[in-house]
Amino acid sequence: RTDRDELREILQEAWNRASAEGKRRQERSSMEGHLERWEALIEKNKGIIASIEEQIEYCEEQEANAQTDHFADTVRGWIQEKQDKIADIETTNSCLEEKLQSVRSQLDR
């Protein structure tokens, strides 16, 4: 009976270690997946910002060539909306960069 209890205890300890290691691997894999998604999203957002900046340039040309003050005001509104959108995306990217740094520091431990 004592041998059986001792064996059971040894097996339980081995199981606990294996379970803990599996959990650590799963968490690491999950973190690495987050990193990949966040990095891809940052790159996608950079492309969106570049596209919006091109739209702003076009709008600025329209504003410069506007034939009425009313249309120029309208175009300035469009420009402001686009600049606000860029600011929102940059804020998102900044938050994602912070998350990336946090997760990378956890993975480096």
Side-chain angles (χ1 to χ4, degrees):
R1 181 167 176 88
T2 320
D3 290 341
R4 194 172 16 157
D5 289 343
E6 188 177 321
L7 181 58
R8 192 175 290 150
E9 191 175 307
I10 291 169
L11 290 173
Q12 186 62 46
E13 285 178 29
W15 175 258
N16 290 343
R17 281 193 305 270
S19 294
E21 181 62 27
K23 185 175 180 180
R24 279 192 295 277
R25 284 183 185 158
Q26 186 177 21
E27 288 173 354
R28 182 174 184 87
S29 177
S30 176
M31 285 188 223
E32 289 170 348
H34 287 309
L35 289 175
E36 289 175 17
R37 282 189 299 280
W38 294 336
E39 288 169 342
L41 182 55
I42 288 170
E43 287 307 309
K44 178 182 174 187
N45 285 347
K46 287 178 182 179
I48 291 170
I49 288 171
S51 175
I52 294 172
E53 287 172 340
E54 290 174 5
Q55 294 172 19
I56 289 173
E57 287 178 23
Y58 177 74
C59 287
E60 288 171 343
E61 291 173 14
Q62 286 187 313
E63 179 189 8
N65 296 325
Q67 301 205 356
T68 66
D69 290 337
H70 176 71
F71 183 68
D73 287 341
T74 301
V75 173
R76 278 191 287 277
W78 296 341
I79 291 170
Q80 185 60 52
E81 288 173 5
K82 292 176 187 310
Q83 290 170 334
D84 292 345
K85 182 65 176 172
I86 287 173
D88 289 344
I89 294 170
E90 287 174 339
T91 298
T92 298
N93 277 359
S94 179
C95 290
L96 290 170
E97 288 287 350
E98 288 176 16
K99 288 181 179 183
L100 284 170
Q101 288 178 352
S102 173
V103 170
R104 283 184 183 130
S105 71
Q106 291 176 17
L107 288 174
D108 290 340
R109 289 185 204 160

